[in-house]
Amino acid sequence: MADLESSFNQLTEMGESISTLLRELVAHLRESRTQLRQEWARRITEAKLLTAMSADEVFNEATAVYDQYVEALETGTFEALQTYARNLSERIIPRGVEIHEVVGIVLLLRDVLARSLFAKFQGDFGKLNRILDAYEPAANRIANTVAVGFVQERERIIREQQEAIRELSTPVLQVRERLLILPIIGVIDPHRARQLTEQLLRGIRTNRAKVVVIDITGVAAMDSNIANHIVQTVEASRLLGATVIVTGLSPEIAQTLVNIGVDLGKMTTVGDLQGGIEEAERLLGYKVVPTEEQTQQA
Amino acid sequence: MAVPILKQGQYLIATIQSALSDVDLTHLQDALVGQVGKLRSRGVIVDVTALDVMDSYASRTLRDLAHMIRLRGAETVIVGIQPEVAFSMVQLGLTLEGVSTALDLEEALLHLGQKTKRPQQRDKPS
Amino acid sequence: MINQLRVPVNSDSDIVIARQKGRALAEQLGFSSSQLTLIATAISELTRNIVYYAKCGEVILQRDDNGARPGIVVIARDEGPGIEDIERALQKGYSTSGGLGLGLPGVRRIMDEFQIDSALGRGTTVRVKKWKL
């Protein structure tokens, strides 16, 4: 009974004094800023984290993170830290910094600070305990905020890159006068299919193309929507006055096309890209002659 | 709006200059099918570069025109369909089947030259 | 900016007027050039249906920011004979006027939303919408 009472008193005391303790903690961290920050930077180097950055850069970032860390402890608000974590991630992700490094350095800081608390309050075990009770949840939340910020930023970058790849992945190439090649690689969704058609039709007009080779060797799978879209692209190209040759139909895709009953009558198909280009050259009236033969003839 | 029809050697060239009503299109059809016989033309080129819409009526009229002209012994080439127009046409299922198309006038003339080559029996042997 | 336009339809030349006005409105609303062509083509088909089947009617063009996605709405309305079998009229290749075709299945394909309301002897209203991408 007496035990229960005393622990209840302790709890009340803790609730009342948590902000006082944090204030004391923050004051200590401000006081020892120079020394703790150096210790942290040293530990980072020792653990071979952030190797993509120079020692000066590590120290500068460490200082900024340290100050943000202390501020978050003091104010109990994490928005500023969140913003900082996102900005930091934006700067370091392109340099190849990985998630384990980011989590690693934040955990190291947590260790460095905890050790300094042990050192300072080792004479008063009860107080040390109370300080750690105040410190740990806040420190965990900080680590969490930074890690989540990093992951979110990385996901944003990945989304942007996907968009960029999508733009890049339908290049309309002119290989010779009046001959365009459109290599399609990867997954075609309806959005990309439409983009592809528009790019090709404009390409035909601006390059005055007469023959187009669409190579789908790099297309993994195709459904009836996409197949019909390709057929439409072929028809639209013809309306502009260009002939389309489709190359690189895999056995699986050929099977799919026949099974779903796509009208292949309107498409000229040739086995591979090389054959397609040869056919295109024939249509354009080119004749490819090996140079040796030419010399002999001459 | 009447469409001017130009006689160029063995060919007739009709250049559409603005949006056409259904009546205008029908007039164009009548005029070309009539003149192709009168002028003994071997080919007809219809330039539709100026058209920003090619709906079912326009497509059908051009297709019918080409078929009628073939029955009159000449070839038709449609030139200058805009990329957006072509895209919209195929989505509507309008593909001008059996009608020749070309990118521009130069291509159309080249195409007609190949298509309408006659055995040159009256020419001096070269 | 104009938000709504009414185009009376009485003759074949109104087909061109309706689609030109629709294209201009869609252009103001920021549609891409390939979308403009689709919208103008749909208006052309719908207006022609009025001229050929009902002789007269009207086409209403309006900006529509309501609903799940903003875009342009085209309403083609007439008090003509109406469509007897809507299901059939929406099938590809169906036509009652000697090969002309109603163009409705095509319009349905190139627009994002399509509603038709028709009663024999009372007329037909078609409402289509194109979303802005």
Side-chain angles (χ1 to χ4, degrees), chain C residues 90 93 129:
Chain C
L90 290 176
K129 182 171 179 179

Side-chain angles (χ1 to χ4, degrees), chain A residues 68-69 72 76-89 99 102-103 106-107 137-153:
Chain A
Q68 293 280 345
Y69 195 104
T77 54
F78 296 84
E79 283 79 16
L81 184 70
Q82 225 162 20
T83 312
Y84 178 79
R86 256 203 302 274
N87 287 341
L88 174 69
S89 306
I99 179 78
V102 172
V103 173
V106 178
L107 292 179
N140 287 347
R141 204 164 152 203
I142 291 171
N144 201 19
T145 303
V146 172
V148 168
F150 184 88
V151 171
Q152 281 175 344
E153 177 60 22

Side-chain angles (χ1 to χ4, degrees), chain A:
Chain A
M1 208 55 196
D3 270 5
L4 244 177
E5 212 163 281
S6 81
S7 53
F8 181 77
N9 284 341
Q10 222 177 325
L11 267 175
T12 329
E13 195 185 301
M14 227 177 80
E16 278 167 4
S17 62
I18 215 158
S19 57
T20 327
L21 288 168
L22 273 176
R23 224 173 300 141
E24 201 172 328
L25 171 68
V26 166
H28 165 66
L29 297 181
R30 290 242 158 88
E31 229 167 78
S32 329
R33 178 174 181 257
T34 313
Q35 179 216 329
L36 289 177
R37 182 174 61 155
Q38 257 161 9
E39 167 67 7
W40 184 35
R42 190 185 63 75
R43 294 276 305 271
I44 292 174
T45 321
E46 202 180 80
K48 294 197 166 54
L49 295 173
L50 302 183
T51 45
M53 296 161 78
S54 72
D56 279 351
E57 284 174 313
V58 170
F59 189 72
N60 286 337
E61 294 293 357
T63 304
V65 173
Y66 186 94
D67 292 341
Q68 293 280 345
Y69 195 104
V70 175
E71 203 188 307
L73 280 176
E74 184 177 29
T75 58
T77 54
F78 296 84
E79 283 79 16
L81 184 70
Q82 225 162 20
T83 312
Y84 178 79
R86 256 203 302 274
N87 287 341
L88 174 69
S89 306
E90 203 180 328
R91 265 177 285 136
I92 62 180
I93 288 171
R95 307 180 56 173
V97 174
E98 295 287 342
I99 179 78
H100 77 266
E101 295 182 276
V102 172
V103 173
I105 63 164
V106 178
L107 292 179
L108 274 182
L109 179 58
R110 192 179 180 282
D111 289 354
V112 167
L113 299 188
R115 269 166 198 258
S116 90
L117 294 176
F118 282 125
K120 184 173 165 76
F121 299 105
Q122 61 186 340
D124 184 348
F125 192 68
K127 177 139 193 181
L128 175 64
N129 251 334
R130 289 199 299 280
I131 287 260
L132 286 177
D133 282 342
Y135 169 69
E136 276 166 357
N140 287 347
R141 204 164 152 203
I142 291 171
N144 201 19
T145 303
V146 172
V148 168
F150 184 88
V151 171
Q152 281 175 344
E153 177 60 22
R154 198 160 66 167
E155 279 170 0
R156 191 187 63 79
I157 291 175
I158 291 171
R159 269 198 304 277
E160 265 180 23
Q161 285 170 342
Q162 274 175 339
E163 196 52 39
I165 289 169
R166 199 178 265 176
E167 297 278 326
L168 279 175
S169 58
T170 50
V172 178
L173 312 167
Q174 177 163 30
V175 282
R176 21 170 115 245
E177 218 178 302
R178 324 226 44 199
L179 171 56
L180 296 182
I181 292 189
L182 177 68
I184 308 177
I185 294 161
V187 180
I188 318 178
D189 54 31
H191 171 76
R192 200 179 149 207
R194 194 174 47 238
Q195 201 176 41
L196 188 146
T197 309
E198 286 184 16
Q199 270 184 13
L200 178 65
L201 296 180
R202 281 196 203 114
I204 288 173
R205 194 120 189 103
T206 44
N207 296 297
R208 293 190 76 235
K210 211 174 158 142
V211 184
V212 178
V213 180
I214 300 181
D215 181 60
I216 60 169
T217 311
V219 175
M222 190 177 286
D223 62 15
S224 60
N225 280 336
I226 303 301
N228 280 322
H229 198 95
I230 290 186
V231 173
Q232 282 186 352
T233 305
V234 172
E235 286 174 345
S237 305
R238 191 195 78 85
L239 287 176
L240 295 191
T243 306
V244 178
I245 299 167
V246 181
T247 65
L249 284 127
S250 68
E252 292 79 18
I253 289 179
Q255 211 164 17
T256 313
L257 292 181
V258 172
N259 285 342
I260 58 184
V262 172
D263 183 4
L264 294 166
K266 292 167 185 160
M267 290 205 308
T268 308
T269 51
V270 175
D272 59 9
L273 181 57
Q274 187 188 342
I277 294 177
E278 282 164 9
E279 173 66 11
E281 282 167 340
R282 200 187 57 76
L283 288 174
L284 286 167
Y286 289 114
K287 203 172 142 193
V288 180
V289 180
T291 38
E292 282 170 42
E293 229 172 276
Q294 220 171 22
T295 349
Q296 277 170 12
Q297 280 173 353

